[in-house]
Amino acid sequence: MSECSHNCSSCSSKDCSERKDFREKQNELSNIKKVVGIVSGKGGVGKSLITSILAVLTKRKGYKTAVLDADITGPSIPKMFGVNKRAEAMDDKFLLPVISKTGIEMMSINLLLENENDPVVWRGPVIAGAVKQFWTDVVWNEVDYMFVDMPPGTGDVPLTVFQSLPVDGIIVVASPQELVSMIVAKAVKMANMMNIPVIALVENYSYLECPDCKKKIEVFGKSKVEKTAKEFNIKNIAKLPINPEFASLADKGEIENINAEQLDSVVDAIISL
């Protein structure tokens, strides 16, 4: 048996019994039942938007939802929900999540900064440590589904989330461009390395619907989501259109008013975990 390097991303062993369990425990005041990671192989595909929408739609079905914003250097979750107050401490030991208008709990580095426009200029280990603290030091109360908005790629933070949190599955977000298969492959293969199932593949910016004739215009070329999903044996797919209203609601902090029935099937797949 080879010695464990404590880095699952570079481990060549096929026997996970050689790997140590690095998962962080919830604090005694939290009860989080399911954790879903939202990932992408590259930036700019609308991952934070998808995270917010899934939390909103799941909440509408009567479940208690929360969002952990693990994108430390590019946080956007609070703005989408119109939340601009700072998180408060509890007994100098824990942090209390900020709660949105409809009751969605959230924690983001922007809820801790003096000014939300201040940059977070931290190195990887410090960023990873902050993500862990969002799990261990925040009183999340009763949460049926926690959605973790991760930065793009396969670096420190995604690895930290996969190793430290009990992730039940991931949603992969991609765009219709030609490179989508390669980009999705990176995210899916990382999840496979960590033995985490892929719940669904969401193709954002999939098409533009003409407001007059309702014809679907594939602005970025013909959709490849079905082919990509088949290639990686992903059973659930969804196509989200280019919709100016989505951007408007996010910019105004009114994401909880969104109508995105295109993601209903993904929500159903999450609930059936």
Side-chain angles (χ1 to χ4, degrees):
M1 182 181 293
S2 61
E3 184 178 354
C4 179
S5 67
H6 306 285
N7 186 353
C8 293
S9 66
S10 61
C11 180
S12 60
S13 172
K14 296 181 180 179
D15 182 5
C16 287
S17 64
E18 294 184 24
R19 302 182 184 177
K20 289 190 177 182
D21 188 350
F22 294 101
R23 285 181 295 182
E24 300 284 345
K25 292 183 179 179
Q26 296 180 37
N27 61 67
E28 63 270 19
L29 301 176
S30 298
N31 183 19
I32 304 164
K33 298 173 183 176
K34 295 290 182 182
V35 178
V36 178
I38 317 300
V39 307
S40 64
K42 66 181 292 294
V45 297
K47 176 179 45 57
S48 297
L49 174 67
I50 303 299
T51 302
S52 301
I53 294 175
L54 291 175
V56 169
L57 296 183
T58 308
K59 175 68 176 177
R60 286 180 189 167
K61 287 184 175 289
Y63 295 96
K64 297 176 181 177
T65 64
V67 179
L68 189 159
D69 189 353
D71 195 349
I72 302 296
T73 59
S76 57
I77 295 298
K79 180 175 176 59
M80 289 189 181
F81 284 89
V83 171
N84 50 28
K85 64 179 182 179
R86 298 182 68 186
E88 297 179 356
M90 174 183 174
D91 299 331
D92 295 326
K93 182 180 180 182
F94 296 115
L95 285 170
L96 295 174
V98 175
I99 301 176
S100 74
K101 300 180 186 73
T102 64
I104 297 173
E105 298 183 16
M106 68 186 69
M107 179 53 66
S108 170
I109 195 68
N110 261 13
L111 301 175
L112 302 175
L113 299 176
E114 191 71 34
N115 186 330
E116 65 175 15
N117 294 323
D118 291 342
V120 178
V121 188
W122 296 346
R123 293 191 183 275
V126 180
I127 294 174
V131 173
K132 288 182 183 180
Q133 286 185 289
F134 284 175
W135 174 261
T136 60
D137 296 358
V138 175
V139 178
W140 289 104
N141 302 308
E142 294 282 336
V143 175
D144 294 315
Y145 296 96
M146 171 178 280
F147 297 91
V148 182
D149 181 21
M150 286 192 267
T154 55
D156 281 344
V157 172
L159 180 59
T160 296
V161 171
F162 285 162
Q163 286 185 324
S164 303
L165 275 60
V167 180
D168 295 282
I170 64 167
I171 308 295
V172 179
V173 182
S175 55
Q177 281 92 338
E178 190 66 37
L179 293 174
V180 65
S181 180
M182 181 190 73
I183 293 166
V184 170
K186 292 179 182 294
V188 171
K189 287 180 179 180
M190 183 177 187
N192 290 340
M193 288 170 59
M194 312 301 291
N195 293 320
I196 296 173
V198 179
I199 301 170
L201 171 60
V202 176
E203 183 180 71
N204 197 19
Y205 314 128
S206 185
Y207 58 89
L208 175 67
E209 186 177 278
C210 175
D212 297 322
C213 67
K214 303 302 180 183
K215 178 182 178 180
K216 294 182 179 180
I217 305 167
E218 294 177 315
V219 179
F220 295 105
K222 187 172 178 59
S223 172
K224 304 173 184 66
V225 67
E226 289 90 354
K227 179 182 177 181
T228 304
K230 184 177 181 180
E231 180 180 352
F232 298 106
N233 196 29
I234 302 173
K235 297 181 179 179
N236 301 297
I237 62 173
K239 299 179 181 180
L240 201 66
I242 300 170
N243 189 335
E245 184 182 1
F246 293 172
S248 176
L249 290 173
D251 288 343
K252 292 188 294 186
E254 299 176 359
I255 200 68
E256 288 164 297
N257 296 330
I258 201 165
N259 179 21
E261 67 278 359
Q262 297 90 349
L263 294 182
D264 284 345
S265 62
V266 178
V267 173
D268 291 340
I270 292 170
I271 293 173
S272 66
L273 281 172

